[in-house]
Amino acid sequence: MPQKLLVLEDEENIRSFVVINLKRAGYDVIEAGTGEEALRLITAHPDTRLALLDIMLPGALDGLEVCRRLRAAHPGMGVIMLTAKTQELDKVTGLVSGADDYITKPFSPTELIARVDALSRRLGGGGEPSESSAKLRSGPFTLSARNRTLQKNGVKLKLTQVEFNIIKLFMENPDRALSREEILRRVWGEEYFGDLKIVDVNIRRLRIKIEDDTANPAFITTVWGFGYKWGG
Ligand code: CA
């Protein structure tokens, strides 16, 4: 079954360029020109796996707001932002948006499809066999690979799929310093050609969700000039 993707873009030329290329790559695409329309479509198509969101849009909702709302309602959905300017990029890489990845315009069909394929694989939509049901435990955390859930003191935390994959990598490698390059490669995949900043963005967001004191992280600690480590 082809995976369903939403494309939100108000400029028709860009939207049809994106949609044609995604369809050619085998995706089932639904499209919207405003944030309001996008949210309506997602409600009507709850099987949508991934959303590509333009930021500047006509109407009351911009792409970042759509991203926040999608994240709240569908934490497992993949989100890629389509950004036009550096100022937009700063907002996207900020904490608030919750996007998994971003593509800067103008982009080639090859880059577009590579990014979408990579995120789609990370979301595990390809019908991969489920892993062992073994649970990983560390301090107050219990991670279930089968259910893809993380609990802290018995309370389930809302994580994106990318955040979950990062935590899993950490918990499988306790007390080992992981370089940002290694985290990028193992979570985003070999074919990912974005920059390292996306690792830091996701770590910052994860810390807000899992740390008791984000100013003094105790679980994901920084290894200066290198990367991050699970444990102090
Ligand atoms: Ca636009």
Side-chain angles (χ1 to χ4, degrees), residues 9-11 54-57 105:
E9 166 69 69
D10 61 309
E11 281 165 70
D54 179 34
I55 297 182
M56 296 292 285
L57 297 164
K105 296 175 194 174

Side-chain angles (χ1 to χ4, degrees), residues 1 12 37 43 58 77 91 99 103 124 130 135 138 145 151 153 159 172 220 229 231:
M1 262 254 301
E12 276 173 36
E37 197 187 339
T43 309
M77 188 181 292
K91 282 190 226 157
I103 310 178
S130 64
K135 291 192 170 172
S138 173
Q151 295 190 341
N153 297 318
L159 300 185
E172 287 168 345
I220 302 176
K229 191 172 83 163

